[in-house]
Amino acid sequence: MFSSARSSLTAIAKRQFASPRTRNASSLADTLSTLKGEHFMTIDQLTNDELKGLLNLSQKYKDIYSDKSNPNPKPLDGDSVSMIFQKRSTRTRVSTETGMALLGGHALFLGPSDIQLGVNESMRDTASVLARFNSLVLARVFSHSDIEELAKYSTVPIINALSDLHHPLQTLADIMALQQHFGADLEGKTLAWVGDGNNVLHDLMLGCAKMGMSVNIATPTGYEPNAEILEKTKQLAAENGGVISTTTVAADAVKGADVVVTDTWVSMGQEEEYAKRVKDFDGYQVNNDLMGKANPGAVFLHCLPRHPEEVTDEVIYSDQSLVFSEAENRMWTVMAVMAAQLGKVE
């Protein structure tokens, strides 16, 4: 589940829930009521029911707000979110600002020139001040310790919009895209990750495991995912009927996969490593040949922005690609998270 903003001045709350497989919420609002006032830090903080509830609410919002023929509800009228960006992002900024406006609220962008976390003002003071102005604080940061410190001192819910360890909002958008293509039940599907064992992979493999999917991970030697998060993913997979496997051979991971995913090989802040990383990832480009080793009807995901060394035009612009639905879903899913955190799910 989310970690608590209400008690975070002393510690990030940890609560135990009954097995999500035995929980029978009477409605979507009931299912997500446990998330009111909570921080959103990682996907594995959610129970299985909460994860599925957020995905259901995201699809509900897409259905409602895509229909321009009727007045749209404004459940977050009077609410606001501060958006702290240490790292730039087209999709995160546009999806959050637009989504908050659709819900009737206001979003405020704070870039590096507006706010320097822990530099001119302590993290604790920043969290305390923003919490007095805003209903929510979304932060896209370099270090996961920064998002944890914000959550520790904020009295309003924090949203982790990306850190060096986790990217839970992206996982919601990815899984939503897969549900839109394959149907709500993803149990038994296999996802292949081909590339860097990074923050995007961390939450995606956790989320897939919770959905009953298997995950095949191919990374070059030295680019493996975080060992602790990988072990946690294996435990979740065992609980939900999936299997997690690792390899250094891209073709081996893709064999038998229903979904093929990659991400940038060179993240922001790693530009000086570009030449080395491109060399290390030789053979990891997702192209027609690699996609041909996956199951018939396999689809492709990439969280964007993409570079040609990672995936060819023939794949990303093909009928197999769900990339742009995936990008659109960033808005519907952040809308669901914000509404759930504020306890205003209608």
Side-chain angles (χ1 to χ4, degrees), residues 23-36 49-50 52-54 56-58 60-61 75 336 339-346:
R23 292 172 56 191
N24 294 307
S26 60
S27 69
L28 188 57
D30 287 341
T31 299
L32 297 177
S33 64
T34 51
L35 305 183
K36 182 180 179 180
D49 278 357
E50 288 165 346
K52 292 174 183 177
L54 284 175
N56 288 340
L57 182 58
S58 300
K60 178 181 177 181
Y61 281 159
Q341 286 178 306
L342 293 175
K344 296 182 177 181
V345 176
E346 297 180 352

Side-chain angles (χ1 to χ4, degrees), residues 285-291 298 300 306-324:
Q285 184 191 58
V286 179
N287 49 37
N288 283 339
D289 181 60
L290 190 64
M291 288 297 296
F300 174 74
R306 68 99 184 193
H307 306 92
E309 61 266 23
E310 300 151 5
V311 56
T312 62
D313 285 357
E314 288 75 17
V315 171
I316 200 167
Y317 298 125
S318 72
D319 291 339
Q320 292 177 285
S321 175
L322 304 182
V323 167
F324 298 105

